Amino acid sequence: MQKRSVIANLTTMSRAVFLSGFIAAAGLASQSAQALEGLALAKASGCTACHSVPTKIVGPAWQDVANKYKGKTEITAVLTNGKEVKGAPLEVLQQKIAQGGKGNWTAVTGGVPMPANSPRVSAADVEKLAKFILSLS
């Protein structure tokens, strides 16, 4: 009886390990799909004229943006209109994408401001773009 119990437990554990691996792989595929969707939206919105994931073009690399804000609960940024905003990284990045920003990445951009993208880019798409960028860390 004890041998059957051990075998049953091993079988159950093997199934659990297999399923957890499958779920993890499905999660990675889902993340990859979200990343591809985010990049496609960025291209369609004109963001890739100044940005890319791994390297600076005119504006900072999105990877650098994600790494700068990773783990932070509050950040401060200056919008193109000179207004300083403070809040959670997602909220502030959405405001910067929508309204533009200046002086936040001067060492990288040489002082070139990021233009406003709203109303050309919808609020829903601005949120998707911000989430995509922050997911790169």
Side-chain angles (χ1 to χ4, degrees):
M1 282 295 194
Q2 225 173 15
K3 188 175 181 181
R4 284 186 191 178
S5 176
V6 169
I7 291 172
N9 285 339
L10 287 174
T11 302
T12 301
M13 288 172 47
S14 295
R15 286 182 186 150
V17 168
F18 172 78
L19 286 174
S20 67
F22 180 76
I23 290 167
L28 288 175
S30 174
Q31 287 175 344
S32 294
Q34 289 172 346
L36 289 174
E37 182 181 317
L39 188 56
L41 177 59
K43 286 179 182 178
S45 301
C47 303
T48 55
C50 296
H51 297 277
S52 78
V53 172
T55 57
K56 168 208 175 305
I57 298 176
V58 174
W62 288 323
Q63 183 76 58
D64 293 341
V65 174
N67 289 337
K68 181 177 180 177
Y69 299 143
K70 182 179 183 177
K72 296 194 176 175
T73 56
E74 185 175 85
I75 62 170
T76 302
V78 179
L79 303 179
T80 303
N81 64 10
K83 179 181 174 189
E84 185 175 280
V85 293
K86 186 181 280 192
L90 179 61
E91 295 167 2
V92 173
L93 189 55
Q94 284 178 258
Q95 289 181 60
K96 284 174 61 176
I97 293 168
Q99 299 176 40
K102 68 176 183 179
N104 303 291
W105 291 87
T106 301
V108 175
T109 66
V112 176
M114 183 173 84
N117 291 287
S118 180
R120 184 178 53 78
V121 179
S122 73
D125 284 348
V126 165
E127 181 179 5
K128 288 177 189 175
L129 289 166
K131 287 180 177 179
F132 160 67
I133 293 166
L134 293 174
S135 76
L136 297 171
S137 64

